[in-house]
Amino acid sequence: MKRKKVVAGNWKMNMNLEESKKLISELMQINVENVDVKIAPSFTNLFHSNIMLDSSSIEVISQDMHHEQKGAFTGEISAEMLLGIGIKTSIIGHSERRKYFGETDLILSKKVNSAIENKMKIVFCIGEELMDRNNNNHFDIIESQLRNGIFHIESSQFKNIIIAYEPVWAIGTGMTANSDQIQEMHQFIRDLVNSKFGNEISQNIKILYGGSVKPSNAKEIFSLKDIDGGLIGGASLNFSDFNSIVEAANE
Ligand code: 13P
């Protein structure tokens, strides 16, 4: 099964308006056939980023969304608002949302439901802490994050999901999981999807790796059997690094 690779840049809380315009004008040079490229700027940069990339194949996606449609939820952004400015995909469940903003599996499952009801696509993030891995609990943690976050949805909706495996200990630390650890976990995730939703869906689901992906390691990571691309943090803020990672996925 040949799955088209995905490389998505998660800008996190970086880039003011001017900086983001500069980076986007550089990103416009990206011209790859075999990779779906996405960027997730902050909420304040979504609107103009999407306009600037209107005629490009790069998709602008959101870093998060609230599960309610509208109402008294100060500071929040709903699926409806994102759709209103042309954003059709959201990251949900990033470990920084789980860790710093108390987002539980229950909250995340509501966000997933809202995205699906609004016909939005989802990049659903999962990942274990270093302690979980040291205690040999990493498979259990990943399984429970998947079961509680997305396994309740109907199989017909699964085509709207991309899974991103991001071990928390590898995010922003420069410490990448090694190839065996990555392949082993991606295979485990694909097998779980198979046992829940069947072979066809499990062969089609895209599973990205995130955590200190950089030009020097991207090629090796993307060559692994069950890895369908990457979710890139720090290296997505610099055109030359991000472009090299996209090129590595295009090979
Ligand atoms: P880094 O690439 O900076 O480790 O971040 C990964 C990440 O969290 C992407 O969502």
Side-chain angles (χ1 to χ4, degrees):
M1 165 63 60
K2 180 89 178 129
R3 293 174 295 268
K4 191 173 181 186
K5 293 258 190 314
V6 176
V7 173
N10 175 9
W11 291 6
K12 309 192 180 184
M13 198 173 73
N14 294 293
M15 298 275 156
N16 62 28
L17 181 63
E18 288 315 310
E19 290 163 341
S20 76
K21 282 183 174 169
K22 182 172 173 289
L23 179 54
I24 287 176
S25 57
E26 292 172 321
L27 292 173
M28 285 169 174
Q29 302 164 38
I30 290 182
N31 184 10
V32 283
E33 290 240 316
N34 304 323
V35 189
D36 285 333
V37 181
K38 304 178 194 295
I39 54 162
S42 62
F43 285 133
T44 52
N45 286 324
L46 285 177
F47 183 64
H48 80 85
S49 302
N50 207 28
I51 290 175
M52 282 180 79
L53 290 169
D54 193 32
S55 57
S56 141
S57 60
I58 299 177
E59 187 191 7
V60 179
I61 72 173
S62 169
Q63 295 178 14
D64 186 30
M65 52 170 266
H66 195 261
H67 53 83
E68 295 287 347
Q69 197 81 342
K70 57 172 66 173
F73 301 101
T74 302
E76 292 295 329
I77 301 285
S78 68
E80 189 188 45
M81 291 168 169
L82 294 170
L83 288 167
I85 59 164
I87 305 299
K88 301 190 180 76
T89 304
S90 182
I91 297 174
I92 292 178
H94 193 279
S95 63
E96 287 148 18
R97 300 296 315 171
R98 295 175 189 259
K99 193 156 131 191
Y100 303 131
F101 303 96
E103 296 198 359
T104 59
D105 286 347
L106 179 63
I107 293 172
L108 298 175
S109 70
K110 289 182 184 175
K111 292 187 177 204
V112 166
N113 292 346
S114 172
I116 285 174
E117 278 159 26
N118 286 284
K119 300 193 168 44
M120 284 187 71
K121 294 190 183 338
I122 299 164
V123 178
F124 190 74
C125 300
I126 52 177
E128 83 283 358
E129 301 271 353
L130 187 56
M131 197 179 68
D132 301 321
R133 187 164 275 272
N134 288 342
N135 291 337
N136 218 15
N137 279 338
H138 44 300
F139 292 114
D140 291 346
I141 295 286
I142 293 304
E143 180 164 354
S144 80
Q145 288 177 348
L146 282 173
R147 289 199 187 280
N148 296 333
I150 53 172
F151 271 19
H152 62 284
I153 69 174
E154 288 190 18
S155 54
S156 61
Q157 300 294 348
F158 225 71
K159 60 180 180 306
N160 295 314
I161 304 240
I162 291 174
I163 295 171
Y165 168 60
E166 302 199 298
V168 179
W169 48 273
I171 295 179
T173 57
M175 201 161 87
T176 325
N178 69 39
S179 293
D180 290 345
Q181 290 170 322
I182 300 174
Q183 170 54 29
E184 176 185 54
M185 186 58 87
H186 280 232
Q187 164 107 53
F188 175 74
I189 294 165
R190 201 175 298 286
D191 287 349
L192 280 177
V193 173
N194 186 6
S195 61
K196 173 77 184 167
F197 295 100
N199 187 50
E200 192 182 337
I201 290 176
S202 76
Q203 288 306 311
N204 282 310
I205 183 88
K206 292 181 187 179
I207 310 173
L208 314 184
Y209 169 79
S212 298
V213 178
K214 34 191 187 258
S216 57
N217 60 22
K219 193 171 169 185
E220 181 181 341
I221 294 171
F222 296 158
S223 71
L224 302 168
K225 178 169 166 281
D226 285 296
I227 285 67
D228 303 309
L231 186 53
I232 320 300
S236 73
L237 300 173
N238 170 289
F239 172 69
S240 140
D241 286 355
F242 189 64
N243 189 41
S244 302
I245 293 169
V246 170
E247 293 287 345
N250 196 39
E251 284 174 7

